[in-house]
Amino acid sequence: MESFSHSVRVSIPNYLRALPIPETIGGFFRLSFKDWLALTPLGLLIAGSGWLTYRHLTYKAPEPEEPKSKVNLSVKKDSPKVVDSVDIEEIGSKKVFCRCWRSKKFPYCDGAHTKHNEETGDNVGPLIISKKE
């Protein structure tokens, strides 16, 4: 603690007193290279303090991340993965499959995407598979 006290009371005032600070702005143009080197630590301290103050005053907290929402809210929730298969022979001429996960007849579409789109502003629609004959 004694060395800190000595620095604040003696060393720093002596350092500042010995700095070649001109009395006018034009005096800075007449400083020698050695004088500029003596002013460098003080200049860096002032610039660093200014930068840290600027950063502190302009700090914006990061936006909180939106929680990740689930797509599947009700279909086969007891299963670790929802997998459905449809035999191509069962399709007939046309089948409409759900892609919004809101259909009560999943994997087939029952038009639930219309309500989902109105509520969320989404634009999801069904997958339509048809045979060309």
Side-chain angles (χ1 to χ4, degrees):
M1 193 66 179
E2 192 174 310
S3 63
F4 178 74
S5 174
H6 182 268
S7 293
V8 171
R9 292 182 183 185
V10 178
S11 299
I12 294 175
N14 288 342
Y15 168 74
L16 293 174
R17 206 173 297 115
L19 286 177
I21 300 175
E23 302 216 1
T24 64
I25 293 190
F28 280 101
F29 296 109
R30 292 185 291 275
L31 291 177
S32 69
F33 182 74
K34 186 177 176 184
D35 293 338
W36 279 107
L37 282 178
L39 288 172
T40 300
L42 179 63
L44 290 174
L45 178 68
I46 291 170
S49 297
W51 181 78
L52 288 174
T53 301
Y54 169 78
R55 291 286 307 237
H56 178 73
L57 293 175
T58 60
Y59 174 76
K60 279 187 177 178
E63 297 281 330
E65 285 188 28
E66 290 186 24
K68 307 236 186 286
S69 61
K70 293 185 177 185
V71 174
N72 179 9
L73 302 178
S74 61
V75 178
K76 299 181 186 176
K77 294 305 281 183
D78 56 330
S79 177
K81 185 189 286 187
V82 178
V83 178
D84 289 297
S85 70
V86 177
D87 187 357
I88 194 90
E89 299 301 323
E90 293 177 11
I91 289 182
S93 63
K94 178 178 166 183
K95 282 288 183 196
V96 182
F97 293 93
C98 176
R99 293 194 305 176
C100 72
W101 290 86
R102 305 301 186 269
S103 174
K104 301 287 185 220
K105 300 187 312 182
F106 192 87
Y108 302 107
C109 179
D110 68 357
H113 59 272
T114 304
K115 182 179 177 191
H116 166 76
N117 289 345
E118 288 172 359
E119 290 174 352
T120 64
D122 205 350
N123 65 348
V124 70
L127 169 66
I128 301 172
I129 297 179
S130 59
K131 277 189 196 177
K132 290 186 179 185
E133 296 184 21

